[in-house]
Short mmCIF file of all heavy atoms in Angstrom, two decimals:
data_model
loop_
_atom_site.label_atom_id
_atom_site.label_comp_id
_atom_site.label_asym_id
_atom_site.label_seq_id
_atom_site.Cartn_x
_atom_site.Cartn_y
_atom_site.Cartn_z
N LEU A 520 133.67 72.51 114.50
CA LEU A 520 134.60 73.49 113.94
C LEU A 520 135.97 72.84 114.01
O LEU A 520 136.38 72.34 115.05
CB LEU A 520 134.59 74.80 114.74
CG LEU A 520 135.68 75.82 114.37
CD1 LEU A 520 135.60 76.21 112.90
CD2 LEU A 520 135.57 77.06 115.24
N TYR A 521 136.67 72.88 112.90
CA TYR A 521 137.82 72.04 112.79
C TYR A 521 139.03 72.89 112.37
O TYR A 521 138.97 73.63 111.40
CB TYR A 521 137.40 70.96 111.78
CG TYR A 521 138.42 70.05 111.24
CD1 TYR A 521 139.58 69.76 111.93
CD2 TYR A 521 138.20 69.44 110.02
CE1 TYR A 521 140.50 68.91 111.39
CE2 TYR A 521 139.11 68.58 109.48
CZ TYR A 521 140.26 68.34 110.17
OH TYR A 521 141.18 67.51 109.61
N GLU A 522 140.08 72.82 113.18
CA GLU A 522 141.31 73.59 112.90
C GLU A 522 142.45 72.61 112.67
O GLU A 522 142.61 71.66 113.43
CB GLU A 522 141.62 74.52 114.07
CG GLU A 522 142.94 75.28 113.91
CD GLU A 522 143.00 76.61 114.68
OE1 GLU A 522 141.96 77.06 115.21
OE2 GLU A 522 144.09 77.19 114.72
N ASN A 523 143.22 72.85 111.64
CA ASN A 523 144.37 71.99 111.41
C ASN A 523 145.63 72.66 111.92
O ASN A 523 145.69 73.87 112.07
CB ASN A 523 144.51 71.71 109.92
CG ASN A 523 144.78 70.25 109.69
OD1 ASN A 523 145.93 69.82 109.66
ND2 ASN A 523 143.71 69.47 109.58
N CYS A 524 146.65 71.84 112.16
CA CYS A 524 147.89 72.34 112.73
C CYS A 524 148.96 71.30 112.42
O CYS A 524 148.66 70.10 112.36
CB CYS A 524 147.71 72.48 114.24
SG CYS A 524 149.20 72.86 115.15
N SER A 525 150.18 71.73 112.20
CA SER A 525 151.25 70.75 112.06
C SER A 525 152.52 71.43 112.56
O SER A 525 153.14 72.21 111.83
CB SER A 525 151.38 70.34 110.59
OG SER A 525 152.47 69.47 110.45
N SER A 526 152.84 71.21 113.81
CA SER A 526 153.95 71.91 114.46
C SER A 526 153.86 73.40 114.10
O SER A 526 154.83 74.01 113.68
CB SER A 526 155.30 71.38 114.00
OG SER A 526 155.39 70.02 114.24
N GLY A 527 152.69 73.95 114.19
CA GLY A 527 152.45 75.31 113.72
C GLY A 527 151.84 75.22 112.33
O GLY A 527 150.88 74.49 112.10
N GLY A 528 152.46 75.92 111.36
CA GLY A 528 151.84 76.05 110.03
C GLY A 528 152.41 75.12 108.98
O GLY A 528 152.36 75.45 107.79
N ALA A 529 152.92 73.95 109.38
CA ALA A 529 153.55 73.06 108.39
C ALA A 529 152.55 72.35 107.48
O ALA A 529 152.94 71.64 106.56
CB ALA A 529 154.43 72.04 109.09
N ARG A 530 151.27 72.52 107.75
CA ARG A 530 150.28 71.96 106.83
C ARG A 530 149.26 73.03 106.47
O ARG A 530 148.07 72.77 106.39
CB ARG A 530 149.59 70.78 107.50
CG ARG A 530 149.41 69.60 106.57
CD ARG A 530 148.57 68.57 107.26
NE ARG A 530 149.04 67.23 107.04
CZ ARG A 530 148.61 66.20 107.78
NH1 ARG A 530 147.78 66.38 108.77
NH2 ARG A 530 149.05 64.99 107.52
N PHE A 531 149.76 74.25 106.27
CA PHE A 531 148.87 75.32 105.84
C PHE A 531 148.78 75.23 104.33
O PHE A 531 149.61 75.79 103.62
CB PHE A 531 149.39 76.69 106.29
CG PHE A 531 148.28 77.66 106.56
CD1 PHE A 531 148.17 78.30 107.78
CD2 PHE A 531 147.33 77.92 105.60
CE1 PHE A 531 147.12 79.17 108.05
CE2 PHE A 531 146.28 78.80 105.84
CZ PHE A 531 146.18 79.42 107.07
N ASP A 532 147.83 74.47 103.84
CA ASP A 532 147.72 74.31 102.39
C ASP A 532 146.25 74.22 102.00
O ASP A 532 145.37 74.02 102.84
CB ASP A 532 148.50 73.07 101.92
CG ASP A 532 147.99 71.79 102.55
OD1 ASP A 532 146.83 71.43 102.31
OD2 ASP A 532 148.76 71.13 103.29
N ALA A 533 146.01 74.36 100.69
CA ALA A 533 144.63 74.41 100.21
C ALA A 533 143.95 73.05 100.32
O ALA A 533 142.72 72.98 100.37
CB ALA A 533 144.61 74.90 98.76
N GLY A 534 144.73 71.97 100.37
CA GLY A 534 144.13 70.64 100.53
C GLY A 534 143.42 70.54 101.87
O GLY A 534 142.25 70.14 101.97
N VAL A 535 144.12 70.92 102.92
CA VAL A 535 143.56 70.83 104.27
C VAL A 535 142.44 71.86 104.46
O VAL A 535 141.46 71.61 105.16
CB VAL A 535 144.72 71.02 105.28
CG1 VAL A 535 144.23 71.61 106.57
CG2 VAL A 535 145.39 69.68 105.55
N LEU A 536 142.58 73.00 103.78
CA LEU A 536 141.57 74.04 103.94
C LEU A 536 140.19 73.58 103.46
O LEU A 536 139.15 74.06 103.92
CB LEU A 536 142.00 75.29 103.17
CG LEU A 536 141.29 76.59 103.52
CD1 LEU A 536 141.49 76.97 104.97
CD2 LEU A 536 141.77 77.72 102.62
N TYR A 537 140.19 72.64 102.55
CA TYR A 537 138.93 72.08 102.05
C TYR A 537 138.13 71.45 103.21
O TYR A 537 136.91 71.55 103.26
CB TYR A 537 139.27 71.02 101.00
CG TYR A 537 138.12 70.21 100.46
CD1 TYR A 537 137.28 70.72 99.48
CD2 TYR A 537 137.90 68.91 100.90
CE1 TYR A 537 136.25 69.96 98.96
CE2 TYR A 537 136.86 68.14 100.38
CZ TYR A 537 136.04 68.68 99.42
OH TYR A 537 135.02 67.92 98.91
N TYR A 538 138.84 70.81 104.13
CA TYR A 538 138.16 70.14 105.25
C TYR A 538 138.04 71.06 106.47
O TYR A 538 137.10 70.96 107.23
CB TYR A 538 138.95 68.89 105.68
CG TYR A 538 139.17 67.92 104.54
CD1 TYR A 538 140.35 67.92 103.83
CD2 TYR A 538 138.16 67.03 104.17
CE1 TYR A 538 140.55 67.04 102.77
CE2 TYR A 538 138.35 66.15 103.11
CZ TYR A 538 139.54 66.17 102.42
OH TYR A 538 139.73 65.31 101.37
N SER A 539 139.06 71.88 106.65
CA SER A 539 139.15 72.61 107.91
C SER A 539 139.22 74.11 107.62
O SER A 539 140.17 74.56 106.99
CB SER A 539 140.38 72.07 108.64
OG SER A 539 141.27 73.03 109.00
N PRO A 540 138.22 74.87 108.07
CA PRO A 540 138.16 76.28 107.67
C PRO A 540 139.22 77.15 108.32
O PRO A 540 139.39 78.30 107.95
CB PRO A 540 136.77 76.72 108.14
CG PRO A 540 136.43 75.79 109.25
CD PRO A 540 137.10 74.49 108.93
N GLN A 541 139.91 76.61 109.34
CA GLN A 541 141.00 77.40 109.90
C GLN A 541 142.20 76.50 110.18
O GLN A 541 142.07 75.30 110.42
CB GLN A 541 140.56 78.17 111.15
CG GLN A 541 139.94 77.36 112.26
CD GLN A 541 139.24 78.26 113.29
OE1 GLN A 541 138.31 79.00 112.94
NE2 GLN A 541 139.69 78.22 114.52
N ILE A 542 143.38 77.11 110.10
CA ILE A 542 144.63 76.37 110.25
C ILE A 542 145.56 77.21 111.12
O ILE A 542 145.67 78.43 110.91
CB ILE A 542 145.28 76.11 108.86
CG1 ILE A 542 144.28 75.40 107.91
CG2 ILE A 542 146.55 75.29 109.00
CD1 ILE A 542 144.76 75.26 106.47
N TRP A 543 146.19 76.57 112.08
CA TRP A 543 147.12 77.28 112.97
C TRP A 543 148.32 77.71 112.14
O TRP A 543 148.99 76.88 111.51
CB TRP A 543 147.51 76.33 114.11
CG TRP A 543 148.39 76.88 115.19
CD1 TRP A 543 149.50 76.28 115.69
CD2 TRP A 543 148.21 78.09 115.94
NE1 TRP A 543 150.03 77.04 116.70
CE2 TRP A 543 149.26 78.16 116.87
CE3 TRP A 543 147.27 79.12 115.90
CZ2 TRP A 543 149.41 79.22 117.77
CZ3 TRP A 543 147.41 80.18 116.79
CH2 TRP A 543 148.47 80.22 117.71
N ALA A 544 148.59 79.04 112.11
CA ALA A 544 149.57 79.55 111.14
C ALA A 544 151.01 79.33 111.58
O ALA A 544 151.91 79.20 110.73
CB ALA A 544 149.32 81.03 110.91
N SER A 545 151.25 79.31 112.89
CA SER A 545 152.64 79.12 113.35
C SER A 545 152.66 78.92 114.85
O SER A 545 151.86 79.50 115.57
CB SER A 545 153.46 80.36 113.01
OG SER A 545 154.79 80.20 113.48
N ASP A 546 153.64 78.14 115.32
CA ASP A 546 153.86 78.05 116.76
C ASP A 546 154.52 79.32 117.28
O ASP A 546 154.64 79.51 118.49
CB ASP A 546 154.75 76.84 117.10
CG ASP A 546 153.93 75.57 117.21
OD1 ASP A 546 152.69 75.66 117.20
OD2 ASP A 546 154.53 74.48 117.29
N ASP A 547 154.98 80.16 116.38
CA ASP A 547 155.54 81.44 116.81
C ASP A 547 154.39 82.41 117.04
O ASP A 547 153.76 82.87 116.08
CB ASP A 547 156.50 81.97 115.75
CG ASP A 547 157.33 83.12 116.30
OD1 ASP A 547 156.88 83.75 117.28
OD2 ASP A 547 158.42 83.36 115.77
N THR A 548 154.11 82.68 118.31
CA THR A 548 152.98 83.56 118.62
C THR A 548 153.43 85.00 118.90
O THR A 548 152.64 85.83 119.33
CB THR A 548 152.21 83.02 119.84
OG1 THR A 548 153.15 82.81 120.90
CG2 THR A 548 151.50 81.73 119.53
N ASP A 549 154.72 85.28 118.66
CA ASP A 549 155.22 86.64 118.86
C ASP A 549 154.59 87.57 117.81
O ASP A 549 154.69 87.32 116.60
CB ASP A 549 156.75 86.60 118.69
CG ASP A 549 157.39 87.97 118.80
OD1 ASP A 549 157.00 88.88 118.03
OD2 ASP A 549 158.26 88.13 119.64
N ALA A 550 153.96 88.65 118.27
CA ALA A 550 153.20 89.52 117.36
C ALA A 550 154.08 90.08 116.24
O ALA A 550 153.62 90.23 115.10
CB ALA A 550 152.57 90.66 118.14
N ILE A 551 155.34 90.37 116.53
CA ILE A 551 156.20 90.98 115.50
C ILE A 551 156.60 89.94 114.46
O ILE A 551 156.57 90.18 113.26
CB ILE A 551 157.43 91.65 116.17
CG1 ILE A 551 156.97 92.70 117.19
CG2 ILE A 551 158.36 92.26 115.13
CD1 ILE A 551 156.04 93.78 116.64
N GLU A 552 156.97 88.75 114.93
CA GLU A 552 157.30 87.66 113.99
C GLU A 552 156.09 87.29 113.15
O GLU A 552 156.19 86.93 111.98
CB GLU A 552 157.74 86.41 114.77
CG GLU A 552 159.05 86.57 115.49
CD GLU A 552 160.21 86.73 114.53
OE1 GLU A 552 160.38 85.86 113.68
OE2 GLU A 552 160.91 87.75 114.64
N ARG A 553 154.93 87.34 113.79
CA ARG A 553 153.70 86.95 113.11
C ARG A 553 153.37 87.83 111.90
O ARG A 553 152.69 87.40 110.97
CB ARG A 553 152.52 87.00 114.10
CG ARG A 553 152.31 85.71 114.89
CD ARG A 553 151.87 84.62 113.93
NE ARG A 553 151.54 83.38 114.61
CZ ARG A 553 150.38 82.75 114.49
NH1 ARG A 553 149.41 83.25 113.75
NH2 ARG A 553 150.19 81.60 115.08
N ILE A 554 153.86 89.08 111.91
CA ILE A 554 153.53 89.99 110.80
C ILE A 554 153.99 89.37 109.49
O ILE A 554 153.25 89.27 108.51
CB ILE A 554 154.21 91.37 111.01
CG1 ILE A 554 153.53 92.07 112.18
CG2 ILE A 554 154.13 92.22 109.75
CD1 ILE A 554 154.25 93.32 112.64
N ARG A 555 155.24 88.90 109.49
CA ARG A 555 155.80 88.34 108.27
C ARG A 555 155.20 86.97 107.95
O ARG A 555 154.91 86.65 106.79
CB ARG A 555 157.31 88.21 108.45
CG ARG A 555 158.06 88.57 107.22
CD ARG A 555 159.53 88.60 107.47
NE ARG A 555 160.16 87.96 106.31
CZ ARG A 555 161.45 87.97 106.09
NH1 ARG A 555 162.25 88.55 106.94
NH2 ARG A 555 161.93 87.38 105.03
N ILE A 556 155.00 86.18 108.98
CA ILE A 556 154.43 84.84 108.76
C ILE A 556 153.01 84.97 108.20
O ILE A 556 152.63 84.32 107.22
CB ILE A 556 154.43 84.03 110.08
CG1 ILE A 556 155.87 83.76 110.54
CG2 ILE A 556 153.64 82.73 109.93
CD1 ILE A 556 156.00 83.20 111.95
N GLN A 557 152.23 85.84 108.82
CA GLN A 557 150.84 86.00 108.37
C GLN A 557 150.77 86.66 106.98
O GLN A 557 149.90 86.34 106.19
CB GLN A 557 150.01 86.77 109.41
CG GLN A 557 149.84 85.94 110.68
CD GLN A 557 149.01 86.57 111.80
OE1 GLN A 557 149.02 86.07 112.91
NE2 GLN A 557 148.31 87.65 111.54
#
Side-chain angles (χ1 to χ4, degrees):
L520 171 58
Y521 169 26
E522 176 154 351
N523 225 271
C524 172
S525 176
S526 303
R530 223 188 222 166
F531 211 124
D532 60 63
V535 152
L536 197 60
Y537 174 80
Y538 304 97
S539 126
Q541 55 194 60
I542 305 173
W543 184 227
S545 178
D546 275 351
D547 193 336
T548 52
D549 177 303
I551 302 304
E552 292 294 304
R553 272 293 184 125
I554 291 170
R555 220 173 138 170
I556 295 169
Q557 292 181 192

